[in-house]
Amino acid sequence: MTLATRFHSIQVGALACWQSRPSLTRRRLLAVANADDLPGSSSGASIVWYKHDLRVDDHPGLVAAASQQLTVVPLYVFDPRIISGLSDEMLDLLLFALEDLKKLLKDQGSDLFIGFGSSEDVIMKIVNEVKATQVFTEEDVDYNTRRVISIVESRLSTTFFPWGSSKIRLWRAPFYDFKDMKGMPASYNTFLKLKLPVSNPTAAPTLPILNIGLERGDLPTIDDVKSYLNNESWTFMKKISAQDILRKKHHKEVVKKEDLIGGPNNVLEISSNVTVVHKMKKSNSLFASHNGSQVKGGTDAVLNALAGYLRYLEGTGRDDWQEVHDKMGMAESRNGASFGAIFGASLYFGTISRRRIHYEAIKYEKERNAGFLSPFGYSSPTVATTIETVCSMEWYRLLAYKSLYQNEGTCSIRIWRWRGFLIQYTVAGQEGPPVLFSHGFGAFLEHFRENISAMAESGHRVWGITLLGFGRSEKPNILYNEPIWAELLRDFIVDVVREPVHLVGNSIGGYFIAAAGAFWPSLAKSLVLINTAGSVDPNYLYMQLAERRPSSGFAWMGSRLLLLYLRLRATDILKKCYPTNPERADDWLVDEILRASYDPGVIAVLESVINFKLPVPLNYLLDWFGGKVLFIQGVRDPLSKSQKRLSMIREYCSLATIKELDAGHCPHDELPEEVNRLLRDWIRTAELSNQMERNS
């Protein structure tokens, strides 16, 4: 049996188990401990289950396991539930990181065991073979990973072991010395006033020599992993970018039927420009590919690249650091963006911890200043960027934990890790047609507070997502543009929903779902555009979606003035958007919008929004989609001339259905009962029509 075939057979069992996974209990959430607090065991072996912590230094779980001087079994499992959303480049970087981790462990007389399939099956097998009494693993905020941990815990707790019991031991590497999650402020501005110290990283432990005859497993090749994970045809949609699709639309390329992606409405072949990882010819290169910017390898490689990054202003005669400096120039799409572009994968896989990066940056800053830290800021922009980035990442991780532990909104929150960034979403309903809500500018998933639960209760499965850069989702320092949000929606549907949905979007969220439906038609059963952004233009000229649209001086100043204006006039602005029912613009909605305005990274979002072109008119997007479209328009919208807009829609989007409401810019929240009724009727009709088309 080939490795690829073995992968496929294992996945079938893993996915079957996935259907009946339990949720992580409150008891386990409260059982998280630091290394010093982790309970030990007087006998037996310990398993250290690696996931996003591929290192030996600053690893509380490994420290706790090694401190008992017993058998320690480091383990990594290629579990499709955890890694299936990774791109080919990220999978390649994962293998580099695992290769280096395995070498580090071997240097200590240990080794990294490799498993394939469901984590619970692999772990149970090793637990029985080494008589393990505990499994150390890092707690996670990502929903899928948490569910996998919960399944492992359930299997361990319900299995009889002759030697006693085997338990999950969760750990964290806290960035701040902060334990009161209930008392954590939801505002970053308030959080900074606490002036919490950053915890120092811990040293790598000395591991006991590993003398067991257990099969340790080999690292697979990238081709083996890809053939295993890419077994579903529609996941190939993730391999073609919005940019490539728009380019092909412009050139009107004719493709063969066998090259179609996703369905009969999608006449696009896989682009020849799909990102391919070209291995570096130089064996000592710090990067995995010529066209990529992510550092490859384990902790030592990352620390070397970080040293070069921090010393950018000093120049260098070293080839490896010069390579880092060259990548910085290519990745600096906006000030400070190069750090995430270079070290994002390293932080995602945990080859280095956030607090280790902070420690190294502060150490370098002290070296530059004779051992002192200035109260007036950092002496180097690279130091400032490094520290700001890891502090920002830690804030969003804490905010995610706060949302999981102490939900302050109207929906139960889950976390999805997308391209390394933390995205908040919610799910409601057990059966019925699937629906996904996408909010507008400055909003978040709870803006559909009266729609999500109501639609679920009326027989729908409902998802709501807070888009990257908004609400309590992460706001990384990147150059935001239209493809990012369209591709985020695409990946969410493919990786989380896992079936086509009825897409519902308000304002700019309406434009994003229209783009997603246009570029990947088989993802959407229908589109519902509620006071959508985007123009209607019969004389469209091709405009390429800009992947690098540098921030201008106007955007820099405009974003800061806009932020100040929004903070000062948030209540008035919202109430004007709710002319029929202004009391719906309540204190909770205003407070949450203001809360988000203080989050780190919000300026990057505003600068990008000011630069927005929304290049493809709605009428073209809807023509490319070719499916069923409903416009819901609040005719008292203060942000647009509704009647003129409706006239253009009727003329140039003739196949769309239009419903007018006596409401402002957010009818779904201003008149939720009326909008819910329209949605139920629309989805029922669309489902019947789709069924008839399938049967004909």
Side-chain angles (χ1 to χ4, degrees):
M1 179 183 296
T2 66
L3 184 57
T5 304
R6 180 162 61 93
F7 275 175
H8 178 72
S9 63
I10 291 173
Q11 186 189 39
V12 172
L15 292 178
C17 180
W18 179 239
Q19 304 302 319
S20 59
R21 57 199 185 279
S23 62
L24 198 63
T25 64
R26 170 68 61 176
R27 179 179 65 81
R28 289 312 309 160
L29 290 176
L30 298 178
V32 179
N34 297 329
D36 294 340
D37 303 322
L38 288 170
S41 173
S42 59
S43 62
S46 296
I47 296 172
V48 177
W49 172 22
Y50 280 98
K51 301 186 303 299
H52 298 104
D53 52 325
L54 307 183
R55 58 186 187 271
V56 297
D57 77 306
D58 198 25
H59 195 295
L62 195 63
V63 170
S67 67
Q68 300 166 31
Q69 296 300 313
L70 302 171
T71 300
V72 177
V73 181
L75 169 69
Y76 183 84
V77 183
F78 284 86
D79 190 323
R81 296 165 295 183
I82 295 177
I83 65 172
S84 61
L86 296 179
S87 67
D88 291 352
E89 181 181 17
M90 288 293 281
L91 288 171
D92 206 34
L93 290 166
L94 169 62
L95 294 177
F96 276 120
L98 290 171
E99 183 179 8
D100 276 20
L101 175 60
K102 193 174 181 70
K103 181 179 183 301
L104 284 172
L105 291 167
K106 280 188 171 182
D107 288 344
Q108 287 211 44
S110 183
D111 200 354
L112 180 65
F113 288 71
I114 302 298
F116 301 99
S118 67
S119 297
E120 59 272 22
D121 288 343
V122 174
I123 290 174
M124 289 297 294
K125 180 178 183 294
I126 296 179
V127 164
N128 278 290
E129 292 194 8
V130 302
K131 296 181 173 58
T133 57
Q134 47 201 348
V135 178
F136 292 94
T137 195
E138 185 180 22
E139 193 196 8
D140 209 305
V141 294
D142 176 77
Y143 177 75
N144 278 350
T145 307
R146 292 169 67 83
R147 296 303 292 268
V148 174
I149 294 172
S150 182
I151 295 172
V152 173
E153 180 191 28
S154 178
R155 287 281 296 274
L156 290 173
S157 64
T158 57
T159 301
F160 170 77
F161 299 104
W163 59 89
S165 64
S166 183
K167 297 181 179 179
I168 285 280
R169 306 297 188 190
L170 298 177
W171 62 269
R172 293 185 198 162
F175 191 83
Y176 297 107
D177 186 13
F178 185 78
K179 298 179 180 178
D180 181 20
M181 291 303 302
K182 291 184 178 179
M184 193 193 89
S187 168
Y188 189 62
N189 197 40
T190 305
F191 181 78
L192 290 178
K193 294 177 182 178
L194 298 177
K195 297 182 179 180
L196 297 171
V198 176
S199 303
N200 286 326
T202 59
T206 300
L207 297 176
I209 301 298
L210 191 59
N211 291 316
I212 57 175
L214 184 64
E215 175 66 34
R216 303 187 181 190
D218 296 321
L219 283 172
T221 66
I222 183 65
D223 290 335
D224 285 329
V225 178
K226 286 165 59 177
S227 66
Y228 167 42
L229 295 176
N230 293 338
N231 66 321
E232 295 184 54
S233 60
W234 83 329
T235 62
F236 281 94
M237 280 184 286
K238 294 172 61 176
K239 295 183 178 296
I240 182 166
S241 69
Q243 186 72 267
D244 288 333
I245 292 175
L246 185 59
R247 189 180 299 115
K248 284 182 175 292
K249 286 291 188 182
H250 173 64
H251 292 296
K252 299 179 180 179
E253 291 187 4
V254 178
V255 298
K256 298 178 181 179
K257 183 175 181 180
E258 59 267 28
D259 292 328
L260 297 182
I261 300 176
N265 293 325
N266 197 337
V267 291
L268 296 168
E269 62 181 349
I270 296 179
S271 168
S272 60
N273 293 323
V274 171
T275 299
V276 177
V277 177
H278 301 290
K279 299 292 178 63
M280 287 288 197
K281 293 181 179 179
K282 297 186 298 180
S283 61
N284 62 342
S285 172
L286 292 173
F287 298 86
S289 66
H290 293 290
N291 56 344
S293 59
Q294 296 282 0
V295 173
K296 72 176 182 181
T299 304
D300 290 344
V302 177
L303 285 173
N304 184 29
L306 179 62
Y309 183 91
L310 293 171
R311 291 162 176 78
Y312 178 72
L313 293 182
E314 297 178 12
T316 182
R318 293 178 50 167
D319 290 343
D320 51 353
W321 286 4
Q322 185 58 54
E323 187 182 20
V324 173
H325 296 172
D326 293 341
K327 294 288 186 180
M328 289 173 67
M330 292 186 291
E332 193 77 352
S333 56
R334 52 168 285 113
N335 290 337
S338 60
F339 181 85
I342 292 174
F343 298 102
S346 303
L347 286 162
Y348 176 82
F349 292 124
T351 54
I352 191 169
S353 67
R354 289 182 293 276
R355 63 187 188 184
R356 179 69 186 274
I357 286 180
H358 185 277
Y359 173 84
E360 296 294 332
I362 291 295
K363 184 175 72 171
Y364 172 67
E365 178 69 8
K366 288 181 178 180
E367 291 173 1
R368 287 175 58 88
N369 294 281
F372 296 97
L373 292 178
S374 170
F376 305 107
Y378 299 108
S379 62
S380 167
T382 53
V383 173
T385 293
T386 299
I387 291 175
E388 288 169 4
T389 302
V390 292
C391 288
S392 172
M393 292 178 68
E394 183 64 16
W395 165 251
Y396 287 107
R397 190 186 70 87
L398 290 174
L399 201 59
Y401 275 123
K402 185 174 179 65
S403 296
L404 294 174
Y405 289 173
Q406 188 181 3
N407 185 26
E408 298 173 334
T410 58
C411 304
S412 60
I413 297 299
R414 295 179 181 178
I415 307 297
W416 172 50
R417 189 183 280 108
W418 180 71
R419 298 183 181 178
F421 307 126
L422 301 180
I423 306 297
Q424 299 209 356
Y425 72 100
T426 191
V427 182
Q430 301 297 320
E431 58 183 5
V435 185
L436 172 59
F437 287 98
S438 176
H439 61 81
F441 173 75
F444 33 84
L445 68 88
E446 290 92 345
H447 201 205
F448 296 100
R449 50 188 165 171
E450 300 295 340
N451 311 109
I452 292 174
S453 59
M455 292 298 292
E457 291 168 2
S458 63
H460 300 80
R461 288 171 294 133
V462 186
W463 286 261
I465 184 172
T466 297
L467 300 172
L468 186 75
F470 296 104
R472 300 195 181 203
S473 286
E474 196 160 346
K475 302 171 184 63
N477 184 11
I478 61 174
L479 193 63
Y480 294 85
N481 53 24
E482 299 82 357
I484 284 179
W485 283 296
E487 290 171 5
L488 180 143
L489 289 170
R490 173 201 65 191
D491 293 353
F492 185 81
I493 297 170
V494 171
D495 293 338
V496 179
V497 180
R498 300 181 64 82
E499 64 178 297
V501 296
H502 296 277
L503 286 168
V504 182
N506 171 236
S507 189
I508 201 169
Y511 185 86
F512 295 151
I513 68 164
F519 299 153
W520 306 282
S522 59
L523 293 178
K525 291 188 168 187
S526 74
L527 303 178
V528 180
L529 309 177
I530 304 175
N531 283 63
T532 184
S535 64
V536 177
D537 183 0
N539 301 310
Y540 165 59
L541 295 176
Y542 170 72
M543 182 186 299
Q544 185 169 341
L545 295 175
E547 293 178 349
R548 286 177 65 98
R549 189 181 294 155
S551 179
S552 63
F554 170 77
W556 185 93
M557 179 61 70
S559 62
R560 285 151 178 84
L561 292 175
L562 177 59
L563 182 59
L564 179 61
Y565 176 73
L566 291 174
R567 287 174 179 171
L568 293 174
R569 301 294 304 277
T571 300
D572 292 340
I573 294 170
L574 275 175
K575 288 191 178 297
K576 288 180 180 178
C577 290
Y578 289 68
T580 301
N581 199 358
E583 61 271 19
R584 290 290 297 169
D586 54 20
D587 291 343
W588 174 84
L589 183 59
V590 173
D591 289 346
E592 186 57 25
I593 289 175
L594 289 175
R595 187 218 63 77
S597 75
Y598 289 97
D599 277 344
V602 71
I603 286 293
V605 181
L606 289 176
E607 284 186 14
S608 300
V609 168
I610 287 175
N611 278 334
F612 271 5
K613 303 298 182 184
L614 300 184
V616 184
L618 279 171
N619 47 311
Y620 280 84
L621 292 177
L622 300 185
D623 283 346
W624 296 347
F625 171 56
K628 301 171 181 60
V629 180
L630 169 65
F631 281 90
I632 298 178
Q633 184 72 26
V635 296
R636 298 174 63 183
D637 187 350
L639 304 183
S640 65
K641 298 178 180 179
S642 293
Q643 293 305 324
K644 180 179 180 180
R645 182 171 180 77
L646 287 172
S647 176
M648 294 289 288
I649 291 171
R650 289 189 178 97
E651 183 173 359
Y652 297 107
C653 306
S654 57
L655 297 180
T657 301
I658 298 174
K659 298 292 182 180
E660 300 180 35
L661 293 177
D662 183 26
H665 188 64
C666 310
H668 62 282
D669 194 41
E670 188 177 8
L671 301 174
E673 292 183 1
E674 292 188 41
V675 170
N676 291 339
R677 176 180 54 79
L678 291 175
L679 290 176
R680 286 193 293 268
D681 292 344
W682 170 260
I683 292 172
R684 184 185 309 111
T685 301
E687 287 286 315
L688 289 173
S689 177
N690 289 336
Q691 184 176 358
M692 291 176 63
E693 290 176 3
R694 289 193 298 269
N695 294 336
S696 63

